[in-house]
Amino acid sequence: MAIPREPVNRGGTVLTIPGVVVGPALRLIRANRAFVSEAGARRRIRERTLRPVSYGPPGTLRSDVRVDVERVGDWPVYTVSPTRRPTIGGVVYAHGGGWVGEIAPQHWTLAATIAAETGAVVTLPIYPLVPYGTAAEAQTGVVELVRRSIERHGPTVLAGDSAGGQIALSAALRLRDEGVVLPMTTLLSPALDLTWSNPRIPLVQPSDPWLATPGGRVFAEHWRGDLDITDPTVSPLFGDLAGLGPLTVLSGTRDVLNPDAEVLVERAEAAGVMVDYHEGAGQFHVWALLPTRAGQAATQTIVHSVTRGLR
């Protein structure tokens, strides 16, 4: 998933664009070209392997945060810390990108907003991507970073968007199995079932200008590594959800991942998990990262979710 660049003025303030232009713009730039065919997905893997994209932060972020970086194991790991309010805990955020796309400027903007408006130190791992990275490696690395954040910053929540939502939920499941129940896991347009087999996906597909099944299956086949595609490390929707901490889930109705989000909510509630579900009518994949009024409102939903988890 490639996120369109957000418009920024010279002072670093994000400009808001009308929501009605998002769909046509995504179709115009062929945002779904890596997903609409298996060949497109293979081309994207080759492109990103030959020409890796920069993962560093933008030159300008809001002035009330500080960005640091260190190497943890084999990963570059960034932290975005608030500078004008006391620290109240931590967030480990797994960025999306279809398991092949690097962290984007919009992820940095969201991380800075979370840090500045909640007081949390946001940890951003630069995890290995397809064709080198796998679901098991990402899960293990994120689990270790959550434990590290708890030791350094206190109560810690997990969050992620799209492919990062898959990583976050699979890590939350493993942490629960290891005796760590998180106070909140916040998922924006999460990928949950990498079989792409939900019968409602074809019904949503015509309205989604971003994602599609053929390419998604190619990326998933690489990402699963040696695991079965239905292993909860790969497809957390197949996991036992009982005993998880609270979930906040955001999903737009013009997103082919929306049917699986609805299944997650149903299964989690049946398992006794507290779920705060926000379904964006007419909204696209990861719309909280888009510079629209609806996107800004969804960002605040994420901020409030993190705040509830840390207080």
Side-chain angles (χ1 to χ4, degrees):
M1 176 196 68
I3 303 173
R5 297 284 176 173
E6 62 183 1
V8 179
N9 71 13
R10 294 183 183 274
T13 301
V14 177
L15 303 177
T16 302
I17 64 173
V20 294
V21 309
V22 173
L26 291 173
R27 296 190 188 281
L28 181 65
I29 66 173
R30 297 177 60 228
N32 64 354
R33 59 187 177 277
F35 286 88
V36 293
S37 70
E38 294 182 359
R42 295 190 184 101
R43 280 195 300 271
R44 176 59 56 82
I45 293 171
R46 176 172 169 76
E47 288 168 1
R48 293 301 169 86
T49 305
L50 289 174
R51 302 176 185 85
V53 175
S54 172
Y55 53 72
T60 302
L61 278 177
R62 53 191 298 164
S63 61
D64 50 359
V65 299
R66 187 187 72 229
V67 180
D68 298 289
V69 64
E70 58 186 308
R71 184 165 290 275
V72 180
D74 293 329
W75 295 5
V77 175
Y78 288 83
T79 53
V80 182
S81 307
T83 58
R84 298 179 187 171
R85 65 166 65 204
T87 299
I88 65 168
V91 177
V92 176
Y93 191 96
H95 72 82
W99 308 283
V100 72
E102 197 50 88
I103 187 170
Q106 289 83 356
H107 294 119
W108 286 102
T109 298
L110 177 60
T113 299
I114 292 171
E117 297 188 14
T118 70
V121 176
V122 181
T123 299
L124 291 166
I126 307 301
Y127 58 90
L129 303 170
V130 166
Y132 307 115
T134 64
E137 180 182 4
Q139 182 199 60
T140 296
V142 168
V143 164
E144 292 174 356
L145 288 174
V146 170
R147 291 184 176 278
R148 186 169 175 270
S149 178
I150 292 171
E151 292 175 359
R152 291 188 171 193
H153 310 300
T156 295
V157 308
L158 253 173
D161 68 278
S162 191
Q166 174 266 315
I167 295 169
L169 185 55
S170 72
L173 290 170
R174 179 166 160 186
L175 284 161
R176 177 213 52 198
D177 292 344
E178 296 176 355
V180 179
V181 177
L182 297 174
M184 181 67 71
T185 300
T186 302
L187 308 172
L188 168 62
S189 304
L192 300 166
D193 176 359
L194 272 62
T195 70
W196 296 75
S197 60
N198 190 307
R200 287 194 54 237
I201 289 177
L203 302 179
V204 178
Q205 184 66 82
S207 69
D208 186 343
W210 218 330
L211 302 181
T213 300
R217 285 182 172 151
V218 171
F219 296 135
E221 187 63 22
H222 281 274
W223 187 244
R224 72 179 180 88
D226 296 330
L227 298 177
D228 188 89
I229 199 74
T230 60
D231 188 298
T233 299
V234 182
S235 296
L237 195 59
F238 290 91
D240 177 7
L241 303 175
L244 279 178
L247 301 176
T248 298
V249 182
L250 297 85
S251 181
T253 58
R254 297 180 67 179
D255 180 354
V256 293
L257 302 182
N258 176 254
D260 288 336
E262 294 183 343
V263 173
L264 171 65
V265 171
E266 180 181 334
R267 292 182 183 175
E269 290 178 341
V273 178
M274 294 180 57
V275 183
D276 184 18
Y277 182 48
H278 299 262
E279 188 165 78
Q283 296 302 322
F284 300 102
H285 186 63
V286 297
W287 83 100
L289 300 180
L290 299 176
T292 63
R293 291 189 183 279
Q296 292 167 356
T299 293
Q300 287 305 304
T301 296
I302 294 170
V303 167
H304 294 155
S305 170
V306 169
T307 301
R308 288 198 310 275
L310 297 181
R311 289 184 174 169

